[in-house]
Amino acid sequence: MMTTVQRRDSPDVPVTPRHAEGEDISILPRIFEDDISIAILHRRLPQEIQAGVNAQLQADRALSISWLGPPGDALRSELRRRLQDPDACGALIEDIVTLAEAMAYLFDTDSVGLRLRRLASAMCPRFHCDHLPVRLVTTYHGPGCEWLPEWAVNRQGLGAPRPDKPEIVDDPSAVRRLGTGDLALLKSSGWIGNEEHALVHRSPDLPAGHQRLLLTLDPA
C-alpha cells in the first residue's frame, strides 16, 4: 500500500508520493498506475557495458546519435556504424537495443525515438516538465537526472522565469538524483490524466572537465 507524506508548508494536507523504485524489472510497469509519475529501476552497469561507455568518453569527436524507427537489427547496425570503437561496444549496443525493444513492447508501438549523447554541460539546468507522454532515461556515465517528489514542487513557479514567480522547489533538501545506470520512466503532461502531475526534473550540474553519456527513449 502506498503511504502518504505531508508538505512542510501545509502539514495538515497529505500528499501521495508519485514515485516507485526498486531493483526488480517489475517496477517499471508501475508507470501505468494513475498515481505514479516516475518508476525507477536501480541497476549497476556490468564491466562489459562500461568498456563501451569508456570508448565513447575517450573519443576525440563529439557523440550525438538520433534514431527514429523500429528497434532491432537496423538500430543495432546504426549504433555499430556511429559509435567509437564498435568492437568494444558489443554489450553497450545490446543494452541499448534491449531497452529500445522493451519500450516498444511496453507501450505497444512499432518504433521508438532514441537519442544518445555525450554531454559536457547541463542540457536543461532549470526544473521543468516535458510535454510528451513518457520518456525512458538512463545515464551510462556521470550524474543522473535530478527530480522532485510531488510534495516538494511549487508548480506555480514552472515555465519561463519571471521576477514575480515563486521558487519551484519548496524544499531544496528534497531534490533526488538518479544513479548512474538507473533506468527511469518519466511520465509527463502529454500522458492523458497526468496533465497536473507531470514529473518535475532537470539536468544535473556538470563541473568543468566532467562528462555524461545520456540515453533517452520515447515511444513513437
Side-chain angles (χ1 to χ4, degrees):
M1 180 178 294
M2 185 164 292
T3 59
T4 59
V5 297
Q6 294 178 329
R7 295 180 66 109
R8 289 176 182 265
D9 58 350
S10 304
D12 297 328
V13 181
V15 177
T16 301
R18 299 185 64 84
H19 57 274
E21 52 189 313
E23 298 181 355
D24 188 87
I25 191 67
S26 62
I27 202 72
L28 293 179
R30 292 195 59 189
I31 198 66
F32 290 101
E33 298 177 17
D34 291 341
D35 55 2
I36 295 296
S37 293
I38 180 171
I40 304 167
L41 173 63
H42 297 296
R43 66 170 188 164
R44 291 189 176 184
L45 297 176
Q47 291 184 350
E48 293 83 358
I49 292 178
Q50 192 62 56
V53 171
N54 291 342
Q56 310 319 304
L57 300 174
Q58 295 163 6
D60 292 333
R61 59 184 172 86
L63 176 69
S64 182
I65 299 175
S66 296
W67 165 270
L68 178 62
D73 287 340
L75 173 57
R76 187 177 285 108
S77 296
E78 179 72 1
L79 291 171
R80 285 195 60 84
R81 185 177 72 85
R82 301 281 301 276
L83 288 175
Q84 178 74 16
D85 193 3
D87 290 339
C89 295
L92 175 61
I93 290 171
E94 289 308 310
D95 191 65
I96 294 171
V97 172
T98 297
L99 294 180
E101 291 174 338
M103 281 292 284
Y105 175 80
L106 194 60
F107 294 100
D108 193 22
T109 181
D110 294 329
S111 61
V112 297
L114 176 151
R115 287 188 294 178
L116 179 67
R117 287 163 290 182
R118 189 180 72 184
L119 303 169
S121 61
M123 189 171 52
C124 300
R126 178 176 167 81
F127 276 115
H128 65 283
C129 300
D130 293 331
H131 300 297
L132 65 165
V134 66
R135 169 169 287 166
L136 183 143
V137 300
T138 188
T139 302
Y140 284 107
H141 179 84
C145 171
E146 295 181 346
W147 60 278
L148 292 173
E150 183 72 13
W151 60 268
V153 177
N154 185 343
R155 293 184 180 271
Q156 297 301 313
L158 293 171
R162 296 196 313 265
D164 60 329
K165 279 194 172 183
E167 293 291 330
I168 298 170
V169 185
D170 276 342
D171 180 0
S173 69
V175 176
R176 305 281 300 276
R177 176 180 287 180
L178 299 175
T180 304
D182 286 352
L183 304 176
L185 288 170
L186 283 56
K187 189 187 291 182
S188 303
S189 62
W191 186 293
I192 297 174
N194 198 60
E195 295 85 354
E196 303 301 320
H197 298 286
L199 185 82
V200 178
H201 62 285
R202 70 180 178 190
S203 301
D205 183 45
L206 273 179
H210 289 240
Q211 300 183 88
R212 295 177 74 207
L213 186 62
L214 175 68
L215 174 72
T216 64
L217 287 165
D218 305 329

